[in-house]
Amino acid sequence: MSGAETVGEPIKVGVIGGRGRMGSEVCRAVEAAPDLTLVSVVDVGDRREDLVDAGVQVVVDFTHPDAVLDNIHFCIEQGIHAVVGTSGLDQQRLDAIRDSLRSRPELGVLIAPNFAIGAVLMGRFAEIAARHFESVEVIELHHPKKADAPSGTADHTARAIAAARRAAGLGAAPDATTKESAGARGAEVDGVRVHSVRLAGLVAHQEVLFGTEGETLTLRHDSLDRKSFMPGVLLAVRKVSTVPGLTVGIEGLLEL
Ligand SMILES: NC(=O)C1=CN([C@@H]2O[C@H](COP(=O)(O)OP(=O)(O)OC[C@H]3O[C@@H](n4cnc5c(N)ncnc54)[C@H](OP(=O)(O)O)[C@@H]3O)[C@@H](O)[C@H]2O)C=CC1
Ligand SMILES: O=C(O)C1=N[C@H](C(=O)O)C[C@H](O)C1
């Protein structure tokens, strides 16, 4: 099944990880959307085949970095479009998804490190700023139940900044540290330092700090509620069948 955008008929949506923090929010958002219908919710211990039995056209996955790749392969095998928010899909895993999609070229798999419009814009602004500053560091701050560090968003931002710096001919950011406690300078992602904070009370936040002689620029985004991700998720659900193949990020759907 692949034609999810049938005019007049609600798109049949299934959610994997539907009892989690994000998955339950997605279920509420889908149920409130008149053009979508929630027909299957799957979590740990449930049969993924229920998605197929329910005639799901688009699956939304918010599960765990260890589970997501297998779920995507399952969707492709079953001919179901997939919208994926789960983090942990590195280049090697993205290549495996592209391989898998070769047998089903009509299907769309849309993976977004972050579905919040402010976070997407912050990434774009960071790319623009990157070539103008000799120094840059990323700080991501999240709730303490988050499974992975650094966050998928921070990883994506750091790699985009690194690519922009390379294109501008910038070398490594200055850093004369020769003595440090383990972890004090954060993780290095494509040459960019990324610091991860886990703190009760937080949801999902990121700062990108730029510096050059005599000035600094700080970009900051705050998701204060998981509802912030829902417009992006619903947009992806509505559009995924129109963008066959693998799409990373919702920038294209937002025409950014
Ligand atoms: N792209 C974006 O905009 C966003 C992405 N995320 C990402 O989404 C993912 C989920 O985050 P969050 O909702 O906070 O996490 P939760 O732990 O709250 O939810 C994940 C849910 O998936 C379930 N689950 C785990 N493995 C499987 C599996 N194999 N099959 C079915 N269900 C499974 C979990 O069950 P159990 O608890 O029993 O393990 C849990 O109910 C993370 O990778 C996070 O980084 C989060 C927010 C925004
Ligand atoms: O786990 C979270 O909460 C989030 N995960 C995503 C990530 O790893 O970047 C997106 C957002 O930061 C919230």
Side-chain angles (χ1 to χ4, degrees):
M1 188 167 312
S2 60
E5 267 210 332
T6 313
V7 179
E9 298 244 351
I11 299 170
K12 291 181 183 165
V13 181
V15 178
I16 314 186
R19 291 197 285 274
R21 285 176 289 270
M22 279 298 290
S24 54
E25 196 68 54
V26 172
C27 290
R28 283 189 286 276
V30 169
E31 282 180 317
D35 58 332
L36 310 176
T37 179
L38 182 67
V39 295
S40 178
V41 179
V42 172
D43 207 283
V44 165
D46 299 331
R47 293 170 64 251
R48 282 185 307 200
E49 287 67 25
D50 285 353
L51 298 160
V52 182
D53 297 345
V56 165
Q57 294 167 291
V58 178
V59 152
V60 179
D61 184 293
F62 281 98
T63 55
H64 189 278
D66 292 342
V68 60
L69 187 61
D70 192 47
N71 288 339
I72 296 171
H73 285 312
F74 175 83
C75 290
I76 294 171
E77 277 160 28
Q78 298 299 331
I80 303 173
H81 303 286
V83 169
V84 178
T86 311
S87 44
L89 290 163
D90 59 14
Q91 209 49 56
Q92 201 181 345
R93 288 164 151 224
L94 294 180
D95 287 343
I97 295 163
R98 279 191 197 93
D99 273 357
S100 192
L101 275 168
R102 279 205 193 101
S103 61
R104 297 301 298 254
E106 77 284 9
L107 286 181
V109 174
L110 192 151
I111 298 168
N114 201 309
F115 283 99
I117 177 71
V120 175
L121 286 170
M122 180 184 58
R124 181 51 56 89
F125 297 155
E127 260 183 289
I128 295 169
R131 65 193 169 96
H132 299 289
F133 291 86
E134 59 179 322
S135 289
V136 59
E137 306 225 353
V138 178
I139 307 173
E140 56 95 339
L141 311 91
H142 282 82
H143 60 93
K145 292 192 172 158
K146 181 163 178 57
D148 54 330
S151 70
T153 307
D155 184 88
H156 189 73
T157 308
R159 290 183 194 284
I161 289 169
R165 286 176 67 92
R166 273 194 296 274
L170 290 180
D175 179 359
T177 308
T178 51
K179 183 178 178 331
E180 66 183 271
S181 301
R185 295 287 293 112
E188 204 174 305
V189 177
D190 207 356
V192 176
R193 293 285 171 180
V194 180
H195 309 267
S196 297
V197 176
R198 296 292 174 266
L199 202 69
L202 295 183
V203 178
H205 318 257
Q206 181 167 287
E207 289 191 0
V208 186
L209 279 57
F210 293 99
T212 193
E213 201 172 345
E215 63 173 318
T216 65
L217 169 68
T218 302
L219 304 177
R220 179 168 174 120
H221 174 258
D222 297 278
S223 270
L224 305 168
D225 190 301
R226 290 184 177 82
K227 288 188 171 55
S228 61
F229 304 111
M230 295 307 119
V233 172
L234 296 189
L235 176 68
V237 168
R238 291 178 178 120
K239 293 289 173 196
V240 64
S241 71
T242 68
V243 282
L246 176 64
T247 303
V248 177
I250 57 168
E251 287 83 346
L253 303 186
L254 294 167
E255 294 176 20
L256 288 179

